[in-house]
């Protein structure tokens, strides 16, 4: 049992650990643990990070839109995770994290065939990155957007 006063420190450590793991199942399990800790500790940015990790893993796995459940409103599990990440970073007004979440979700949408929706999200990410002066992420997003044309 984890003491509540340790949750923020452990959540930060788990976030780093999740980024280093390569096994999809382990990443999902650790991201779920991070999500739980972040929710309990009220760490909204870490919650969003966990949802992004879950979305990335699920989008790279063998899941597809046909596996969506009624509880997700007909969305694939990865789309649900990306949607939650975007909602959280918007609610806490973290612009850099919003750009990252929009870029990841846009890339996912394009990969699953929603090219128009993906392009729109990637354009939004470019606007955010440009506004913040984040040249490297804006360049990566522009490169992806160009490849979708």
């Amino acid at each position: 049992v984890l003491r509540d006063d340790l949750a923020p420190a452990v959540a930060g450590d788990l976030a780093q650990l999740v980024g280093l793991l390569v096994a999809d199942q382990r990443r999902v399990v650790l991201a779920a643990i991070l999500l739980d800790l972040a929710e309990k500790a009220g760490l909204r940015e870490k919650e969003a990070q966990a949802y992004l990790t879950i979305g990335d893993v699920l989008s790279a796995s063998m899941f597809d839109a046909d596996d969506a459940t009624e509880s997700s409103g007909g969305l694939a599990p990865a789309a649900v995770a990306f949607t939650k990440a975007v909602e959280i970073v918007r609610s806490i007004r973290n612009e850099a994290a919003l750009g990252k979440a929009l870029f990841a979700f846009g890339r996912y949408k394009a990969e699953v065939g929603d090219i128009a929706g993906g392009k729109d999200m990637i354009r939004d990410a470019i606007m955010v990155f440009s506004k913040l002066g984040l040249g490297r992420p804006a360049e990566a997003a522009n490169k992806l957007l160009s490849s979708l044309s």
Side-chain angles (χ1 to χ4, degrees), residues 2 24 31 35 42 49-50 52 58 60 70 88-89 99 101 106 108 110 115 118 122 124 130 137 140 147 149:
L2 184 66
D24 286 352
L35 178 60
Q49 183 179 0
L52 276 177
L58 294 178
E70 279 185 37
I88 290 170
V89 293
Y108 166 77
I115 303 297
I122 293 167
D124 289 346
S130 297
S147 73
S149 298

Side-chain angles (χ1 to χ4, degrees), residues 18-85:
V18 167
L20 297 175
L21 291 173
V22 290
D24 286 352
Q25 288 181 328
R26 289 182 183 159
R27 286 183 70 201
V28 169
V29 168
L30 289 174
I33 292 168
L34 170 62
L35 178 60
D36 184 54
L37 290 170
E39 286 174 342
K40 287 178 181 174
L43 301 171
R44 301 289 287 160
E45 188 172 340
K46 296 293 184 186
E47 282 182 58
Q49 183 179 0
Y51 277 119
L52 276 177
T53 299
I54 292 167
D56 282 339
V57 172
L58 294 178
S59 68
S61 298
M62 298 308 292
F63 292 90
D64 70 30
D66 293 336
D67 293 334
T69 64
E70 279 185 37
S71 65
S72 66
L75 294 174
V80 172
F82 284 128
T83 298
K84 289 292 287 181

Side-chain angles (χ1 to χ4, degrees), residues 8-19:
V10 173
D13 291 342
L14 279 175
Q16 291 176 345
L17 183 58
V18 167

